[in-house]
Amino acid sequence: MSRASLPRLSLLAALFGAGCTGPETRFTVPVDGGFQVEVVGSRLTVAAADGRVLLDGLEGAAGLDAGLAVRDVTTRFEMQFGSFKPTDEAAGPWRGHATWADRGDAVEALDADGDVLARLRFSSPAEGHLAVVLEPGTPEARRVSWAFACDADDHFIGFGAQALDVDHRGQTVPTFVQENGIGKIEDNSYEGIWYVVGRRHSSHLPIPTYLSRRGYMLSAETPYRSVFELCDPTASPDRARIQVEANTTVNVFDGPTPGAALEKSSAHHGRPRRPPRVVFAPWFDAIMGSDEVRRVAAKLRAEQIPAGTMWTEDWRGGAFTNDNYELDEEWTVDRDLYPDFEALADDLHAAGFHFLVYFNPFIYEGSRAWSEVQSRGWLVRREDGTDYTFTGAAFDETGLLDLFDPEARAWAVGKMRDVIALGADGWMNDFAEWLPTDAVTAGGSGADLHNEYPVVWQQVAREAIDGVDDGVERFFFGRSGWFGTPALADVIWAGDQRTGFQPDDGLPTILPIGIGLGVVGVSTYGHDIAGYNASTNAPATKELFFRWLQLGAWSPVMRTHHGLQPELNWTWESDDETVQVVKRYAELHMALVPTWEGLAAQASATGMPIWRGLPLLFPEDAAVWGLTDQVMVGDHILVAPIQIEGALSRDVYLPAGRWYRWTEGDAAEVVRGVGAETVMASAPQDEIPVFVRAGGVVPMFPPGVQTLSRPSPEVPGPVDDRVVHVFLGADGAFAEADGGASYRLRHLADASSSAALSFELEGASLPSCGDAPCVAEGDTIRLPGAGVLSMRQGGSEVATLTVVGAPASVTVVVHRP
């Protein structure tokens, strides 16, 4: 994006410290990597090599209004039910800088008395990556505020799993791992039952990283809580400010495009992990014992509903309390519910399913795990050495496993490997947000390690899975995290949303969470169809189930959940119509596996996630930055779910270009083809608005694939044939994973006429394809494999599709005006 070149600043400042010569301080900090760091007067500015201002520093001032300020402050936390209430204990006021002093590769912020407040040490570990360490000038400078000017064009997306916002302009965003809460208030205040209802930015995965419309990404690389004020009208509407603990490294990754900035950021922090293929087949849950799990699995196969994974979270026990189904808090199989767990695993494997279970890091008093762990000193402790217990998620007294103790960690790995030996193929790696900040662990204080605890929990799961070398691809899915999570977790899910359309914690939160996660490095993402929590709202209805199902089919991971009230929630089995709709959407999701896999491979190579917020692809379009109800799948597919109860249509914003309405199987309807526009999209209860822009190439399996796990003649697996949808009007390309087929669409002329297209393969007439001609009918063409397909209209060539690789056959579905 083109921005104004670096402004000429003419600001007078008092002269303090070495390096200040003359009436105006002016110097350049030597730094490589394509950055310009310059001090003029009392302002420090960071610009790109092309002159784009990235961080437009503020002038000196007495307090927090300064470009850089420090304070002696300590944050204390109160924890209840995994929510954390912070209180700042300050020993003095904010002290703002007056000027800067040149120290070679660093600059010092000096106050009006010439005292050093902080030191900014600059380096460039790689091209396009600027690292700035904020060092304290005195021991009292525990907290540092670094502020920059905002303008009308500034926008900021990111910060991980954020339920209400995609663009955080106008918000103050604290980043600290904790429970999301049930429901949300509209700000970050702590009133009433703050430990139940979430604040606006309460998040289980709030990585402190954002993407700016100026074309850079910024991360505060720290284990501690950070606060970002982003042009907040209640604080400082004309500035962005980050508050971090001293000795934090602030990283700036310049694109200048979002994709290039993401690539540089993920290269430093860790690229998204690419999961096993089976992750992309639909998942179904089943609980309440071996016989019930077998019944669900048999019905899925009898109805020929594609599914690759069955997950059973009550494998360690569960029972009803009134309408709520609550899990037992154990670490081993419940032989009452699952007396033949091993045989059940064998049966599911034979039917073409991966089999997942459930773990969390709590150790509840009275459990078998408590007797194994507590006496050995493997729980996190209080400062006086006693076990740190609290009321847990199951409303009983619990402790937390000290994952920083090597022996406790080995115990957890052993429990996970025990269930692998019984036949499990992975698990939900739940929770890990609850480490109290005043706890003591074998690795240090809870205050220092709180945000790291979920990452260590994921390391434990990774160690358990990766240490079993038997040729079976296993995986886990989690919800909490910090720096390091994207490279560890196979899948992240959205958490425990309400079973409803509530905008604070229901279906409408799924897109913002997924878009924010994509910016910070999480690519393979899913959610509970149709929500989980029914504590403060009604159970899931048929309409909610349909709307959530549709979005699930267009999500990287499609997964059902029985919810907190399984006998009251609408499920895939609730009536015959639902069974058929589920089958249709499961078939769609399974057919898209070549696309899911190709995008996952791209994410692991470049950092660009499968789900992409529109600002990642259309950064120049100011209208897309605030969209919370639309998302891109890859570069070309736009998904716009219905998220309002009772709605049968919605407005959809289409950026500039030609767009088609996606329809399964047949040629799509062209919607528009010039500038950006908002269109009205109809959507009966069993339909979801999906659009594809010109240049889109979407490879799919043909119908019939039932599983990606242990296929058999009775349960067909993946095939080499492809159905490839191409959307004329622009150039496009797509590459499947692992050196599979690749496709390049070259647009040569407008295909606006309704006259039929004619086709040639490698410049010659199409050969016979078995007993049928290669041109089946209309604009659907069947090819014997790789080659160059020419599309002609009235003698002129409209487009060519080049297929490289070795699919057995390719059915090309051409979409054109």
Side-chain angles (χ1 to χ4, degrees):
M1 174 170 54
S2 112
R3 306 278 306 184
S5 60
L6 187 63
R8 296 182 176 274
L9 306 177
S10 179
L11 303 170
L12 297 177
L15 307 180
F16 300 102
C20 303
T21 58
E24 180 182 74
T25 303
R26 180 184 291 271
F27 60 88
T28 299
V29 181
V31 62
D32 297 325
F35 293 93
Q36 303 174 45
V37 180
E38 185 176 14
V39 169
V40 178
S42 63
R43 297 179 66 165
L44 184 151
T45 302
V46 176
D50 60 7
R52 286 174 299 111
V53 177
L54 306 179
L55 307 178
D56 190 4
L58 303 180
E59 298 179 14
L64 189 57
D65 287 336
L68 189 130
V70 300
R71 195 181 194 190
D72 185 0
V73 59
T74 301
T75 302
R76 309 291 182 191
F77 293 90
E78 177 186 353
M79 190 276 278
Q80 292 191 53
F81 295 104
S83 294
F84 289 79
K85 180 181 180 180
T87 301
D88 282 346
E89 300 175 355
W94 284 99
R95 300 169 61 193
H97 91 285
T99 190
W100 300 94
D102 186 358
R103 299 290 185 256
D105 66 342
V107 297
E108 290 180 343
L110 311 179
D111 69 7
D113 294 323
D115 294 333
V116 178
L117 302 179
R119 183 176 299 105
L120 277 62
R121 194 170 299 281
F122 295 85
S123 65
S124 182
E127 188 69 21
H129 176 191
L130 179 68
V132 188
V133 181
L134 307 181
E135 299 176 349
T138 67
E140 293 76 26
R142 299 175 188 272
R143 179 133 340 136
V144 180
S145 167
W146 193 10
F148 327 107
C150 288
D151 65 27
D153 294 330
D154 279 319
H155 297 278
F156 311 88
I157 66 171
F159 299 111
Q162 299 294 331
L164 301 188
D165 305 293
V166 169
D167 181 11
H168 300 280
R169 181 189 174 97
Q171 299 290 332
T172 293
V173 184
T175 56
F176 189 79
V177 173
Q178 60 185 307
E179 285 275 359
N180 277 3
I182 301 174
K184 294 280 189 184
I185 62 173
E186 292 188 357
D187 57 30
N188 294 315
S189 62
Y190 288 81
E191 299 175 356
I193 51 173
W194 59 266
Y195 44 85
V196 175
V197 179
R199 264 107 296 287
R200 186 179 196 95
H201 298 105
S202 299
S203 174
H204 48 247
L205 209 164
I207 295 178
T209 300
Y210 70 74
L211 171 68
S212 166
R213 195 178 176 212
R214 299 188 183 214
Y216 71 89
M217 290 187 68
L218 182 146
S219 67
E221 194 170 351
T222 174
Y224 303 111
R225 181 177 185 262
S226 301
V227 178
F228 296 75
E229 293 178 9
L230 302 171
C231 323
D232 186 344
T234 65
S236 302
D238 60 349
R239 64 197 60 189
R241 178 187 291 120
I242 61 173
Q243 291 185 28
V244 295
E245 300 302 297
N247 293 310
T248 291
T249 297
V250 174
N251 297 290
V252 178
F253 304 96
D254 183 42
T257 66
L262 261 176
E263 186 164 7
K264 292 165 185 171
S265 175
S266 61
H268 175 74
H269 289 300
R271 294 267 162 78
R273 181 177 184 84
R274 184 178 162 197
R277 174 186 245 190
V278 68
V279 159
F280 299 110
W283 308 13
F284 286 82
D285 77 300
I287 54 172
M288 302 184 195
S290 297
D291 291 345
E292 178 65 6
V293 174
R294 287 189 175 92
R295 184 197 68 77
V296 172
K299 184 170 182 178
L300 286 167
R301 293 303 180 221
E303 297 287 351
Q304 295 187 311
I305 297 174
T309 293
M310 183 73 68
W311 77 284
T312 301
E313 67 176 5
D314 69 341
W315 72 286
R316 53 192 204 149
F320 279 96
T321 301
N322 299 320
D323 291 326
N324 295 348
Y325 190 73
E326 298 175 352
L327 304 181
D328 288 351
E329 293 296 338
E330 291 290 354
W331 286 66
T332 54
V333 63
D334 184 321
R335 290 295 184 181
D336 291 328
L337 272 180
Y338 296 95
D340 58 345
F341 186 92
E342 299 91 332
L344 173 62
D346 289 343
D347 291 346
L348 291 175
H349 293 160
F353 292 99
H354 261 48
F355 185 26
L356 301 191
V357 292
Y358 175 95
F359 283 105
N360 69 51
F362 295 125
I363 307 292
Y364 276 80
E365 286 190 8
S367 67
R368 294 188 299 276
W370 178 271
S371 63
E372 294 181 38
V373 169
Q374 187 272 338
S375 62
R376 295 172 177 171
W378 291 346
L379 298 174
V380 300
R381 301 176 302 283
R382 296 185 182 275
E383 291 183 356
D384 63 5
T386 59
D387 297 328
Y388 201 128
T389 62
F390 44 83
T391 302
F395 297 98
D396 291 323
E397 202 67 8
T398 184
L400 199 61
L401 188 64
D402 186 353
L403 298 176
F404 300 95
D405 184 317
E407 292 183 342
R409 177 173 175 151
W411 177 87
V413 170
K415 292 296 185 182
M416 292 171 173
R417 288 187 181 166
D418 285 347
V419 76
I420 289 175
L422 296 178
D425 300 305
W427 49 83
M428 175 188 279
N429 218 53
D430 204 2
F431 287 104
E433 304 93 340
W434 291 48
L435 178 64
T437 56
D438 57 342
V440 176
T441 77
S445 72
D448 292 339
L449 298 173
H450 171 83
N451 287 326
E452 187 180 345
Y453 189 86
V455 181
V456 179
W457 180 228
Q458 289 151 8
Q459 290 172 347
V460 168
R462 200 69 280 137
E463 181 180 348
I465 288 172
D466 295 346
V468 178
D469 185 15
D470 59 1
V472 176
E473 291 188 317
R474 297 184 174 90
F475 59 93
F476 73 87
F477 62 115
R479 70 174 188 180
S480 61
W482 196 249
F483 290 112
T485 288
L488 289 167
D490 296 294
V491 177
I492 291 292
W493 98 95
D496 298 337
Q497 280 68 41
R498 290 179 175 187
T499 52
F501 290 94
Q502 294 90 341
D504 66 333
D505 195 21
L507 174 59
T509 66
I510 296 302
L511 265 67
I513 290 172
I515 292 168
L517 287 171
V519 174
V520 303
V522 173
S523 176
T524 309
Y525 166 70
H527 40 92
D528 296 342
I529 301 170
Y532 174 80
N533 261 314
S535 302
T536 58
N537 53 271
T541 63
K542 182 176 183 178
E543 179 188 6
L544 178 77
F545 184 89
F546 275 28
R547 293 308 191 192
W548 214 311
L549 170 75
Q550 296 154 15
L551 182 56
W554 284 100
S555 302
V557 172
M558 180 183 185
R559 178 178 61 83
T560 69
H561 196 306
H562 56 270
L564 183 61
Q565 299 180 344
E567 294 189 340
L568 301 180
N569 288 320
W570 196 270
T571 75
W572 72 272
E573 296 185 88
S574 292
D575 68 11
D576 290 341
E577 181 189 15
T578 305
V579 171
Q580 294 309 309
V581 172
V582 167
K583 180 178 181 180
R584 177 160 65 90
Y585 279 102
E587 288 172 343
L588 170 65
H589 186 84
M590 180 70 88
L592 286 166
V593 164
T595 293
W596 300 128
E597 277 198 294
L599 293 173
Q602 186 181 138
S604 68
T606 69
M608 185 65 84
I610 299 173
W611 261 21
R612 301 171 185 177
L614 273 70
L616 293 178
L617 302 177
F618 309 99
E620 297 285 357
D621 188 342
V624 306
W625 284 81
L627 293 177
T628 61
D629 59 354
Q630 301 178 196
V631 71
M632 299 294 294
V633 174
D635 284 347
H636 290 88
I637 302 171
L638 186 153
V639 180
I642 300 292
Q643 301 183 125
I644 298 175
E645 188 171 14
L648 297 175
S649 64
R650 58 157 294 174
D651 288 341
V652 180
Y653 181 77
L654 300 177
R658 175 178 287 162
W659 292 86
Y660 298 79
R661 179 75 184 257
W662 173 273
T663 54
E664 296 167 39
D666 299 325
E669 168 194 3
V670 66
V671 176
R672 46 162 311 283
V674 193
E677 185 179 344
T678 298
V679 300
M680 176 66 73
S682 63
Q685 186 169 281
D686 62 346
E687 297 292 343
I688 179 173
V690 176
F691 299 83
V692 187
R693 64 171 171 155
V697 179
V698 185
M700 304 173 70
F701 286 146
V705 178
Q706 289 289 298
T707 187
L708 302 180
S709 173
R710 304 173 174 92
S712 65
E714 295 75 24
V715 186
V719 296
D720 293 332
D721 296 344
R722 292 291 182 268
V723 176
V724 181
H725 292 258
V726 297
F727 297 82
L728 302 188
D731 292 348
F734 193 87
E736 295 190 31
D738 300 324
S742 64
Y743 314 88
R744 179 168 296 279
L745 177 64
R746 187 182 176 201
H747 170 68
L748 301 173
D750 186 24
S752 58
S753 169
S754 60
L757 292 176
S758 60
F759 303 94
E760 294 178 347
L761 184 63
E762 302 283 8
S765 298
L766 288 165
S768 172
C769 299
D771 297 330
C774 283
V775 179
E777 60 180 56
D779 291 343
T780 299
I781 306 97
R782 189 154 55 89
L783 305 176
V788 179
L789 179 70
S790 298
M791 298 169 238
R792 299 181 182 277
Q793 185 172 273
S796 62
E797 198 165 46
V798 172
T800 61
L801 176 69
T802 302
V803 182
V804 177
S809 69
V810 180
T811 298
V812 182
V813 183
V814 180
H815 303 272
R816 61 192 179 103

